[in-house]
Amino acid sequence: MREKWKKRILVTGGAGFLGSHLCDRLVARGDDVLCVDNFYTGSKANVAHLLGKPNFELMRHDVTFPLYVEVDEIFNLACPASPVHYQHDPVQTTKTSVHGAINMLGLAKRCKAKILQASTSEVYGDPEVHPQNEDYWGRVNPIGIRSCYDEGKRCAETLFFDYFRQHKLRIKVVRIFNTYGPRMHPDDGRVVSNFIMQALRGENITLFGDGEQTRSFCFVDDLIDAMLKMMDTPDDFTGPVNIGNPGEFTMKELAEKVLRLTGSSSRIVHKPLPSDDPRQRKPDLTRARQHLGWEPSIPLDVGLQKTIDYFSSTLGR
Ligand code: NAD
Ligand code: UDP
Ligand code: UDP
């Protein structure tokens, strides 16, 4: 029989980078965790260490199909996040965000579960407002190569707020800014893993465009703290709320940092800038500070070193 004090928590995309860290924290806390993943970009290896735990269960399932389970809370993270991967099968990317949201919202409605959506800073597109706050509606190209991800996530937010208004669901929406750390896939294709792997292998560092575009990078542990806090906010707080680290760097600065921290003699080479690549990105964290009482604490140099150590150890294996 189930222990009544334990929460039953569903994590979709739980075998991915962020999802696996979230599962770690929930399992350690004593909740009953159901991790659902179709292993499109995630892997069993990310959660292999949890498989023997009595309060952890792994299920292969694609969220574009209905799912009938009994849960109290849902963290909806299923969706490839790297441009290389989400552009590989763009139709499936939109389906994952939109049909996935419908199915998980339907599940939340039937179970009266609370549900959190992992949305993204990409809803702001290539922004004219800087830093981005949650009241900014964004500047997204609806027909470009990034649209399957950006518009899929925007539509998922629409669905969350319509289920909130129409069906009185308890919803939470977080807009995650670029996050990095151990368990990113070495071939993930995102900038932090690319630069580190290139530096460690002595390959050229591929800097897209002039390298003057900016991003603000958050270490995974800080991000998971914020997600957990968000789920526990009062029911009348839905978000959306930005979570990320406000430290803003150009991609050129990031490449130089990675070279310095790895001591690599790799060369920086320029490659064409992909279309619709946002010029700048930095979260306004006012709302997160106010409602979550949260502030990221891990500076980029410290987080990068931890990530470099992780990738070094995978190379040794
Ligand atoms: P990830 O690619 O490592 O994880 C995504 C997980 O979802 C993978 O395990 C993948 O196999 C799974 N998945 C994909 N499609 C699925 C489907 N149809 N059914 C079931 N599982 C499916 O990426 P991540 O960085 O861990 O991102 C997790 C979530 O956070 C995503 O929703 C992403 O959009 C969001 N997010 C991440 C970042 C970031 O910087 N890491 C930024 C903004 C938003
Ligand atoms: N759904 C699900 N699990 C559930 C309940 C619903 O996967 O436990 C899916 C189901 O496929 C449905 C969708 O969620 O189409 C939306 O559910 P909702 O109840 O909002 O709408 P309806 O069933 O009327 O289409
Ligand atoms: N980028 C780069 N080299 C790479 C991969 C990415 O210069 O090998 C750049 C990319 O053009 C973008 C930034 O780094 O300006 C962040 O890219 P990423 O794919 O990590 O995330 P997103 O563009 O979704 O923020």
Side-chain angles (χ1 to χ4, degrees):
M1 212 173 73
R2 133 176 135 84
E3 292 164 71
K4 286 235 165 47
W5 57 270
K6 276 192 183 175
K7 275 193 276 192
R8 298 161 305 180
I9 303 189
L10 168 63
V11 180
T12 75
F17 161 51
L18 294 182
S20 64
H21 285 276
L22 179 61
C23 286
D24 279 351
R25 294 281 293 274
L26 296 169
V27 167
R29 199 166 86 167
D31 295 317
D32 258 326
V33 178
L34 172 60
C35 169
V36 159
D37 206 294
N38 69 350
F39 305 122
Y40 180 59
T41 49
S43 70
K44 271 189 206 164
N46 283 340
V47 289
H49 58 287
L50 296 174
L51 288 175
K53 307 265 186 194
N55 58 335
F56 180 80
E57 202 180 339
L58 175 62
M59 182 182 186
R60 181 192 290 265
H61 174 79
D62 185 321
V63 294
T64 61
F65 295 97
L67 175 66
Y68 288 83
V69 290
E70 306 307 316
V71 290
D72 303 306
E73 289 180 1
I74 303 168
F75 287 88
N76 188 36
L77 274 65
C79 186
S82 157
V84 177
H85 294 294
Y86 72 63
Q87 288 165 18
H88 175 72
D89 186 349
V91 173
Q92 175 65 14
T93 299
T94 304
K95 283 184 184 170
T96 292
S97 277
V98 177
H99 292 281
I102 291 173
N103 287 328
M104 292 309 104
L105 287 161
L107 172 63
K109 185 178 140 207
R110 184 181 56 78
C111 295
K112 299 189 173 36
K114 186 157 53 164
I115 181 166
L116 178 145
Q117 169 68 358
S119 189
T120 171
S121 55
E122 302 282 342
V123 301
Y124 302 124
D126 190 5
E128 312 104 318
V129 166
H130 195 75
Q132 294 77 53
N133 65 50
E134 295 86 349
D135 295 328
Y136 176 52
W137 290 354
R139 188 164 78 106
V140 173
N141 174 359
I143 58 168
I145 57 170
R146 296 175 79 97
S147 315
C148 58
Y149 184 76
D150 302 5
E151 296 289 19
K153 289 283 187 179
R154 286 170 66 96
C155 184
E157 286 201 12
T158 306
L159 285 160
F160 267 68
F161 279 85
D162 282 334
Y163 270 78
F164 165 70
R165 284 183 287 254
Q166 197 173 330
H167 298 302
K168 310 287 173 258
L169 240 64
R170 291 177 295 156
I171 63 154
K172 307 279 174 194
V173 175
V174 289
R175 292 182 177 155
I176 302 170
F177 283 64
N178 298 60
T179 302
Y180 68 98
R183 286 196 208 138
M184 288 185 95
H185 195 280
D187 301 318
D188 180 85
R190 280 176 277 188
V191 69
V192 173
S193 46
N194 270 10
F195 284 2
I196 293 177
M197 290 308 293
Q198 289 161 344
L200 292 176
R201 288 173 171 151
E203 296 166 357
N204 290 339
I205 305 274
T206 53
L207 189 56
F208 297 168
D210 59 8
E212 292 301 322
Q213 70 274 32
T214 68
R215 294 292 185 275
S216 303
F217 296 101
C218 186
F219 189 66
V220 58
D221 292 359
D222 277 335
L223 203 282
I224 303 297
D225 282 344
M227 267 192 169
L228 291 170
K229 279 183 187 283
M230 180 62 177
M231 190 57 118
D232 289 340
T233 51
D235 286 349
D236 62 359
F237 183 62
T238 57
V241 61
N242 290 337
I243 53 180
N245 189 312
E248 185 185 7
F249 298 89
T250 66
M251 293 311 98
K252 188 161 170 280
E253 286 169 331
L254 179 71
E256 284 158 359
K257 265 186 195 296
V258 169
L259 284 175
R260 181 169 49 75
L261 290 169
T262 52
S264 167
S265 53
S266 288
R267 283 186 327 118
I268 296 178
V269 298
H270 289 267
K271 298 268 179 189
L273 188 70
S275 64
D276 295 338
D277 201 277
R279 284 301 301 166
Q280 54 180 2
R281 202 173 294 126
K282 171 184 165 128
D284 179 329
L285 293 181
T286 312
R287 195 176 285 183
R289 288 191 190 101
Q290 191 185 341
H291 287 270
L292 311 182
W294 167 88
E295 187 88 44
S297 66
I298 300 163
L300 184 57
D301 279 47
V302 175
L304 278 180
Q305 189 59 58
K306 287 177 196 274
T307 313
I308 290 166
D309 293 345
Y310 167 78
F311 280 122
S312 303
S313 72
T314 64
L315 278 177
R317 263 180 234 148

